Amino acid sequence: MSTGLDAQAAGTSGDPARQDEGARRPVRRGAGWAPVLAVYGVAAAVYLVLALRVPLPVLFPDELRYAHLARSLADGDGTTWRGEHLGVVAALYVYAITPLWAIWHSTVDAYHASKVLGVLLLCTQVVPVWLLGRELLGRRGAVLAAMLSVAGTWMLMGAGIVTEVLAMPLAVGSMCAAVWALRRPGGARWAPALGLALLACWARIQLAVLLPALTAALVLDVVRRPELARDRLRAHAPALLATGALSAVGLVVVLVAPSVTGDYAGIVSLRPSLDRIVHKTALQLGELVTVSGLLPVLLAAGAATTRSAWRDERAGPLLAVFWPAVIVLAGQSGLFLAGFTPAVSGIQRYVAYAAPLAIVLALVLAADRRLLGPRVLAIAGLGGVLLLARPAIAGLGEERAAWATAYRAHQLLGLRIGPALALLALVLVGATIAIVARSWAPGRAVAALATLLLAVLAVQDQAAWHQMTTTARSFRTQLPSDLQWIDHTARGPVALIGLTQNAPQYEDLEFFNRDIAAVYVPPAGLPGRPLRGHSCTFRFLTSGVVDIAPGCGPVPNRFLIADPAAAITFQDETRSVADPRIGRIATLVPGRVPRARAVLILACPRPSPIYSPTSPDIVGTDRPRVCNTTVSGSVWLGAPTDVVVTYRGGGDPHAVVVAGVRHAIAATGTTTVRFRAPAGYSQFTLRQDWTSTAGAPRLAAVVLDAGGRRTPIL
C-alpha cells in the first residue's frame, strides 16, 4: 500500500492535465484530528511552562501599550493611558485580553493569564498547517509540518503581551486557506482566506498587506499554467475583484487619512532614500531566511526559478501564495525601518508570519525529488553564500533567530554572524543534496528534511529562550518581591515625580501598579526611556512650592520618587516608605499645597542592570559606574540648620570640598562632613574628586540636624 505522499507524487506526475486531476483528488484522512490535537497539546504545555518562567515584559513599548489599553478598558476608562487617549485601530487582541484584566484585579495574575491565552492562541497555527499538510504531504507529513510550525523562535511571542500571538495564527491560516483555494478554483473557497486576512488586519494593522498579496497570488495562479489560464481566470474572477477592490480602497484610505493605520500613520510621510529601503528590505528578507531555519526560504528561492515547480499542483500554489506574502511583508517593514531612525536592527516578527508556509513548501519539495534539481539546489547554495553580507546583530531582542544561531556558532567555531549563517546554510543545502542523491521514498525524504529543520530550530529556540528568561530574571532582582508594591504600599493614587532621568525599572512598575495616576517631569522632559501616557510639567519655586502646569488636574498627596539620581523630601510628610531598588513613596497632609524641604541631585545614580542589545549577559548592578564630580542640593529651612553628610569608604582615600573647605574621606569606615545652611531657601554643592564608583566612597546618608532634630533627606 502506498503512503499518502506516494499517492500524491503519483497523482501529480506526468502531463499537466493529470497533475490538475491529481491535485483535486482527496487524500485519505487517516486518524482524524487526534494527531494535530496531540501536537497542539504538547506545544501548548511546553510553551506555557517557558512563557510563565519569564517574570517581566521584555518587549518595549508594545507589551506596556497593549496591557495598559486592556486594563483601561477593563476599568471603564476607554482606550487611554494615564489620561491620554490612544487611537488604536487594530484592537482585536486588546479586546481578547480585556476580560482577563477585568476578572483579575491583581495585575500580576492578569499578566500571567494574558500569557496563557497568548500561548493557547499562538499554538493554533498548527491547525491550518496540518489541514494543508494532509493534502500536500499525507498524514505523516502533515504531522511533521504541524510540529515544525510551532518549533521556531517566533513562538517566543507567547511570552509577551503582543498582538502577534493572535495575528500570527490568523495570518498563517489565511495563507494556508489561500493555497487550498488555489488548488480548487471557483466558488466561495476564497472566503476563508479573505476572512482570516481581514481578522489578521484587525489584530495587527501591518497585516493589511495580506490583501494585495492575496490578489497577486490569484494572478500568479492564472499565469503559472498558460493552458489553464482562461479557466482559472474565470474561476478566480470574483476573488480577484474582491481582494483587488479591497486593496485599492485600503490604499486610497491610507493615503487620504493615514490616521486609520494607528501607530503606522507616519509611514505615509516617510521619505527614506532608495538605497536605504533596499538595504532594510534585504535585512528583513535575511530575517525570514534565518527564522524559518534557513533551508526553507533558500529552497523556495531556488524553486521559484524553475518552470516545473510553478506548474506542479502542490508546489505551484504554495509558491504563488508564499512569495507575494514575503515581498509585501519584507517591503512594508523594510520601508518602515528605513524611515524610522530609532529602529537600528532588523525586526524578525514583522516577517515571521511567512515562516510556517516556507516550511510546508520545503517539505513538499523534498517529497518530490524532481522538484529539487541542480538549479534549485545551486540557487539555494548561492543564497546561503549571500548571507555572508549579513550585518552584525544590532538588537538581539528583535533579531532572535539570527542572534541565537550566531551565538551558538561563535561558541563552537568563533565565527561572526555572516560566516556562521553562510556556513550553516551550505551545510543544510549539502545535506539536502545527499537526501536527493539517495533517492529515498517521499515519506523518508520528508522525514529527513524535517529532522534537519527541527535540529536548527531547536538550537535557535534553546538559545533565544535562555537569553530572554535570563534577561527578565536579572531585571526582576531589581524590583521588590511584591511587583504591586506601590499599590499595596501607597494606599491611594500616586504621582511619579522626576528630575534627572527615568529609572529603568519604572516601566515595569507602571505595568504592574494601577495607582500611578500622574507623572510630573521638568519642562525639559525626563531623559531615559520615554514615558508613555500623559505627563505634566512642574518646577520648584523659591518658596519650595511644587508648581504644576495648568490643566493637569488635582495634585495628589502621595509622591513616588523613583529618580535614580535625585532625592526629594517634602514639608508636611506624614508617612514615608522606601525600597532601596526603586525609591520612596512620600505621603503628605491632604489638602495642603506640596512644598519641598530638600532636593538632592546625586553624583552617582542608583545602580540598575543594563540590557545589552548584542549579548545575553546583563551588566549587573555591581559594575563600576561613571559619576559626576558634584552633589548639588537645595533646601528650604525655617531656621539655620546643620547638613550632615556621611560617606562610607570604598577602599581608596578621596576628598570632598564644600563651602570652600576640603574634607578628607577615609579609605575605610565612615567619614562625616558637616556644614551650616542658612534659614530660607539656599543651595549647596559638594565637589568630589572621583568620577567613578570603582574604589570610591559611597554617599551613605544626608541628614538635616536642627538642634538635635534630625531629618533624613537621603
Side-chain angles (χ1 to χ4, degrees):
M1 180 179 291
S2 63
T3 66
L5 282 170
D6 294 332
Q8 281 197 327
T12 58
S13 60
D15 61 72
R18 289 187 61 195
Q19 287 189 25
D20 193 56
E21 179 184 352
R24 296 171 182 268
R25 185 179 303 149
V27 178
R28 278 190 308 120
R29 298 309 181 197
W33 286 80
V36 72
L37 292 178
V39 173
Y40 178 86
V42 172
V46 169
Y47 290 119
L48 281 173
V49 171
L50 291 173
L52 293 175
R53 292 178 70 241
V54 179
L56 297 174
V58 295
L59 186 61
F60 299 102
D62 302 56
E63 291 192 69
L64 308 177
R65 176 184 176 87
Y66 302 130
H68 273 276
L69 286 171
R71 193 169 80 189
S72 180
L73 286 169
D75 292 343
D77 297 327
T79 54
T80 62
W81 187 336
R82 210 185 326 105
E84 178 181 335
H85 176 72
L86 298 179
V88 54
V89 178
L92 183 59
Y93 172 70
V94 175
Y95 295 145
I97 63 172
T98 293
L100 304 178
W101 292 83
I103 294 170
W104 281 280
H105 182 75
S106 165
T107 54
V108 176
D109 292 341
Y111 169 60
H112 292 315
S114 297
K115 292 201 292 184
V116 169
L117 177 62
V119 168
L120 297 177
L121 290 172
L122 188 58
C123 288
T124 59
Q125 65 195 291
V126 301
V127 175
V129 171
W130 177 73
L131 289 172
L132 182 62
R134 287 197 305 178
E135 292 203 350
L136 302 180
L137 297 165
R139 177 167 51 88
R140 295 177 182 174
V143 174
L144 292 174
M147 291 171 56
L148 290 169
S149 73
V150 285
T153 55
W154 57 86
M155 298 303 293
L156 273 77
M157 294 183 294
I161 313 299
V162 290
T163 57
E164 285 87 353
V165 298
L166 180 54
M168 180 88 182
L170 289 171
V172 171
S174 175
M175 287 184 277
C176 289
V179 175
W180 180 79
L182 291 185
R183 286 171 53 79
R184 293 170 174 78
R189 296 187 180 96
W190 264 91
L194 182 56
L196 289 170
L198 292 172
L199 285 174
C201 177
W202 190 15
R204 184 168 180 83
I205 195 66
Q206 174 203 1
L207 292 176
V209 297
L210 284 180
L211 295 175
L214 294 179
T215 305
L218 289 162
V219 172
L220 285 174
D221 192 59
V222 169
V223 302
R224 70 182 181 85
R225 296 277 299 273
E227 71 278 12
L228 301 175
R230 181 172 297 179
D231 292 338
R232 294 261 168 115
L233 180 59
R234 186 181 302 112
H236 290 328
L240 270 169
L241 288 174
T243 58
L246 286 171
S247 300
V249 170
L251 178 61
V252 171
V253 170
V254 168
L255 293 175
V256 173
S259 60
V260 300
T261 62
D263 289 347
Y264 285 86
I267 197 171
V268 177
S269 60
L270 296 178
R271 297 293 185 271
S273 61
L274 180 60
D275 63 325
R276 186 169 173 81
I277 295 174
V278 171
H279 170 73
K280 291 294 186 179
T281 301
L283 182 60
Q284 288 297 92
L285 288 171
E287 288 296 303
L288 177 60
V289 171
T290 310
V291 74
S292 67
L294 284 85
L295 192 58
V297 177
L298 296 177
L299 292 179
T305 66
T306 64
R307 185 181 180 188
S308 60
W310 281 104
R311 293 175 62 84
D312 183 81
E313 283 306 315
R314 288 179 294 162
L318 281 165
L319 289 169
V321 174
F322 174 73
W323 279 112
V326 169
I327 290 169
V328 296
L329 288 169
Q332 181 270 346
S333 58
L335 172 62
F336 174 72
L337 295 177
F340 186 59
T341 53
V344 296
S345 69
I347 299 183
Q348 164 187 306
R349 56 196 171 92
Y350 286 176
V351 292
Y353 305 100
L357 201 63
I359 290 170
V360 174
L361 176 55
L363 297 183
V364 166
L365 295 174
D368 188 350
R369 63 179 180 273
R370 294 168 301 177
L371 300 178
L372 288 177
R375 180 193 295 180
V376 174
L377 295 169
I379 291 176
L382 176 61
V385 173
L386 293 177
L387 291 172
L388 285 167
R390 195 342 179 145
I393 296 293
L396 64 87
E398 295 287 13
E399 301 171 298
R400 294 196 182 279
W403 173 83
T405 307
Y407 181 67
R408 293 305 185 206
H410 181 75
Q411 287 182 315
L412 292 173
L413 304 172
L415 297 177
R416 294 179 294 104
I417 182 169
L421 293 177
L423 177 61
L424 178 58
L426 292 177
V427 168
L428 292 172
V429 172
T432 306
I433 293 172
I435 292 172
V436 172
R438 288 181 177 271
S439 299
W440 281 336
R444 191 175 181 186
V446 167
L449 192 70
T451 301
L452 285 176
L453 293 177
L454 186 61
V456 174
L457 297 177
V459 170
Q460 292 178 341
D461 263 353
Q462 189 279 328
W465 276 101
H466 174 72
Q467 180 276 326
M468 184 168 69
T469 305
T470 301
T471 298
R473 288 184 171 181
S474 297
F475 275 96
R476 179 67 182 87
T477 62
Q478 297 304 301
L479 294 169
S481 57
D482 178 9
L483 288 171
Q484 291 184 258
W485 180 82
I486 295 172
D487 285 353
H488 296 155
T489 301
R491 304 174 185 172
V494 176
L496 171 76
I497 186 167
L499 283 173
T500 69
Q501 58 186 286
N502 182 20
Q505 300 96 327
Y506 173 70
E507 289 180 318
D508 291 315
L509 294 176
E510 190 176 25
F511 184 92
F512 288 107
N513 290 272
R514 296 175 184 262
D515 281 343
I516 300 178
V519 170
Y520 299 141
V521 300
L526 206 58
R529 279 182 172 173
L531 288 164
R532 314 293 168 178
H534 181 63
S535 298
C536 297
T537 60
F538 83 101
R539 58 177 179 157
F540 291 112
L541 302 181
T542 55
S543 62
V545 168
V546 181
D547 183 41
I548 309 297
C552 289
V555 180
N557 68 311
R558 299 175 187 87
F559 289 90
L560 169 64
I561 303 101
D563 193 313
I568 304 172
T569 306
F570 296 94
Q571 311 275 0
D572 303 321
E573 289 191 16
T574 61
R575 183 170 177 263
S576 175
V577 185
D579 184 288
R581 290 159 295 193
I582 63 172
R584 185 174 73 96
I585 297 176
T587 303
L588 283 58
V589 174
R592 295 187 184 178
V593 176
R595 302 167 67 95
R597 180 186 296 275
V599 174
L600 291 177
I601 307 299
L602 308 177
C604 302
R606 182 176 64 240
S608 61
I610 294 177
Y611 169 73
S612 169
T614 58
S615 168
D617 301 318
I618 301 301
V619 183
T621 57
D622 57 349
R623 72 189 186 281
R625 305 185 309 282
V626 175
C627 301
N628 295 321
T629 57
T630 60
V631 175
S632 60
S634 299
V635 290
W636 291 263
L637 304 173
T641 302
D642 284 346
V643 181
V644 183
V645 183
T646 303
Y647 287 95
R648 182 166 287 115
D652 297 329
H654 285 279
V656 171
V657 176
V658 59
V661 179
R662 185 178 185 275
H663 300 266
I665 308 299
T668 59
T670 60
T671 302
T672 299
V673 175
R674 181 184 291 263
F675 58 93
R676 194 75 162 168
Y681 170 66
S682 66
Q683 296 178 318
F684 61 83
T685 300
L686 289 82
R687 300 192 180 279
Q688 304 173 157
D689 69 353
W690 61 91
T691 57
S692 169
T693 58
R698 180 173 65 87
L699 184 60
V702 181
V703 175
L704 298 178
D705 187 351
R709 182 182 177 184
R710 299 171 63 86
T711 303
I713 61 174
L714 177 63

